[in-house]
Amino acid sequence: MVEHIDGNALAGPLSDLFTFDPTTASARCAGCGDVAVLARAMVYGEPDTFVVRCANCDDVLMTIVQAPDRFCIELRGMTWLKIPR
Amino acid sequence: MTGTSEARDGRIGNWKVGVVTSIRRESASGRSITIDVPGWGGNIAGQHTDVRLTAQNGYTAVRSYSVASAGVGDRIELAVDRLPTGEVSPYLVDTLREGDELELRGPLGGWFVWTPQQAESVQLIGGGSGIVPLMAMIRSHEASGSATPFRLLYSVRTPLDAFFRAELESPSANLEVTWIFTRRAPSGCSRPAGRITAADLEAHGFPAALSPTVFVCGPTGFVETVATALVALGHEPNRVKTERFGGA
Ligand SMILES: Cc1cc2nc3c(=O)[nH]c(=O)nc-3n(C[C@H](O)[C@H](O)[C@H](O)COP(=O)(O)OP(=O)(O)OC[C@H]3O[C@@H](n4cnc5c(N)ncnc54)[C@H](O)[C@@H]3O)c2cc1C
Ligand SMILES: [Zn+2]
């Protein structure tokens, strides 16, 4: 089994970028249409790169690359992100 | 500090400097660590923190640790299990001393949490150090005087591997604790040592018909076994919340 954790763990890395808690935001998977909070997604490949996969179909929702001088976020796998306020 | 990070002062994600106030032995490989973190500002039960270690050459390592304490204030408790080949946990368990400084950010995560406003029954299922966020929920439950029934299934290798053992051996009236020993059970324990099974969940957990909220936490393999078994037992997948700590 490839090691992975839950989207819960994205709370810290993404707190650098967002003022809201990203783990309670829901995303719609562009692959299968499943809607789930990011906390429920599967996260692979800590610590500098996070590949976030849909817990339902395993498609990539989002990729985050942390470099010393920048963040790179690729969001092609989600149709939207709904943020509670 | 750069201009950008100064502009972000006040964000949850800012690194704060904590000071270790005490360290307690929980098991041969586990320590609970109490830290004063000015600016922490309290946390909800189940939240975690990121700990950052910086080597002399500037290399940094960041790992997440659940907070075992809950409530207001700047003093928090973590509990860490040493993974022999690990980068960060051996330092926290073997090297860290009272008075040492530690960089942390948080409180983090608003999903794997329990608040005293929740009235439904709560089933906690922890494996190894996965007890840590569940302990915060147990403490918050007790401190708030909540009458909501709580049940804990705690899986550990042997009785000596348990974290927070004394506290869990005399639970409050609204908490029922069931121990699962995977390698060696104490004499007098009717269940032979072995990994947690659907039968354990069925025998000691709240039934699905009661619609409890279930929190499952521990090594990734443990969490997946338990979550799959819970759904097979009829638990609504949306009522089963998981926190995978990593590992196979
Ligand atoms: C949200 C969250 C909360 C966490 N809370 C806690 C906590 O309260 N207490 C705690 O002790 N840990 C906790 N962890 C795990 C912690 O973040 C680290 O992964 C752990 O301490 C190992 O870090 P390391 O640097 O020592 O090992 P690494 O150098 O990262 O890894 C060493 C080796 O151990 C393996 N490994 C990694 N994690 C595990 C595991 N859990 N079980 C078995 N093998 C593993 C890896 O595959 C690797 O081969 C939490 C993780 C997450 C995501
Ligand atoms: Zn999907």
Side-chain angles (χ1 to χ4, degrees):
Chain A
M1 180 169 47
V2 184
E3 197 173 312
H4 60 282
I5 53 178
D6 308 87
N8 295 325
L10 295 173
L14 292 179
S15 68
D16 274 343
L17 305 173
F18 301 129
T19 51
F20 58 92
D21 174 10
T23 65
T24 57
S26 359
R28 183 178 188 275
C29 172
C32 72
D34 189 51
V35 175
V37 291
L38 270 187
R40 283 197 184 275
M42 296 294 114
V43 175
Y44 292 80
E46 270 193 296
D48 292 327
T49 302
F50 299 94
V51 178
V52 185
R53 291 180 175 274
C54 172
N56 188 54
C57 76
D58 215 34
D59 271 7
V60 176
L61 290 171
M62 165 187 207
T63 308
I64 306 154
V65 181
Q66 297 177 288
D69 59 336
R70 68 187 180 280
F71 266 97
C72 188
I73 304 189
E74 192 268 305
L75 292 159
R76 197 173 21 170
M78 53 176 85
T79 20
W80 45 253
L81 188 64
K82 211 182 282 178
I83 298 142
R85 57 174 203 178
Chain B
M1 221 192 255
T2 68
T4 347
S5 54
E6 263 162 349
R8 287 174 183 160
D9 274 359
R11 289 200 184 192
I12 284 293
N14 284 339
W15 293 100
K16 303 166 177 77
V17 178
V19 177
V20 175
T21 60
S22 66
I23 296 174
R24 195 179 67 204
R25 185 183 196 278
E26 296 291 340
S27 69
S29 58
R31 300 289 181 275
S32 55
I33 304 165
T34 305
I35 311 166
D36 278 342
V37 190
W40 178 262
N43 64 272
I44 309 169
Q47 289 191 292
H48 67 272
T49 179
D50 284 352
V51 171
R52 177 167 73 180
L53 303 184
T54 305
Q56 233 125 54
N57 64 6
Y59 170 81
T60 60
V62 178
R63 297 290 185 276
S64 300
Y65 292 96
S66 297
V67 182
S69 51
V72 296
D74 287 344
R75 176 165 289 188
I76 62 171
E77 185 187 7
L78 311 181
V80 179
D81 200 28
R82 180 205 311 119
L83 295 178
T85 58
E87 207 168 47
V88 171
S89 60
Y91 173 81
L92 297 177
V93 168
D94 300 325
T95 310
L96 194 70
R97 293 288 174 264
E98 274 177 32
D100 285 354
E101 289 185 346
L102 211 51
E103 276 191 302
L104 309 108
R105 68 179 165 198
L108 300 172
W111 183 75
F112 192 84
V113 295
W114 181 81
T115 59
Q117 287 79 36
Q118 290 176 238
E120 75 282 7
S121 302
V122 173
Q123 178 68 56
L124 309 172
I125 306 173
S129 57
I131 189 66
V132 178
L134 312 182
M135 200 63 210
M137 296 178 192
I138 288 169
R139 288 167 166 176
S140 174
H141 176 243
E142 187 167 6
S144 66
S146 161
T148 295
F150 263 47
R151 281 186 187 175
L152 168 69
L153 262 80
Y154 185 14
S155 165
V156 286
R157 272 179 236 124
T158 75
L160 293 177
D161 292 298
F163 283 17
F164 309 112
R165 188 168 161 203
E167 221 170 316
L168 292 172
E169 278 178 345
S170 48
S172 74
N174 295 318
L175 170 66
E176 218 176 281
V177 178
T178 302
W179 297 86
I180 309 269
F181 300 104
T182 62
R183 298 262 177 88
R184 183 179 61 77
S187 53
C189 182
S190 58
R191 181 189 182 281
R195 292 198 169 190
I196 195 165
T197 64
D200 294 313
L201 301 175
E202 205 170 10
H204 304 290
F206 282 121
L210 213 70
S211 300
T213 293
V214 190
F215 293 93
V216 188
C217 186
T220 295
F222 173 88
V223 168
E224 299 197 336
T225 304
V226 170
T228 305
L230 286 167
V231 173
L233 287 171
H235 289 267
E236 172 69 40
N238 274 324
R239 303 203 68 88
V240 179
K241 293 194 169 187
T242 57
E243 181 142 278
R244 290 163 172 83
F245 273 8

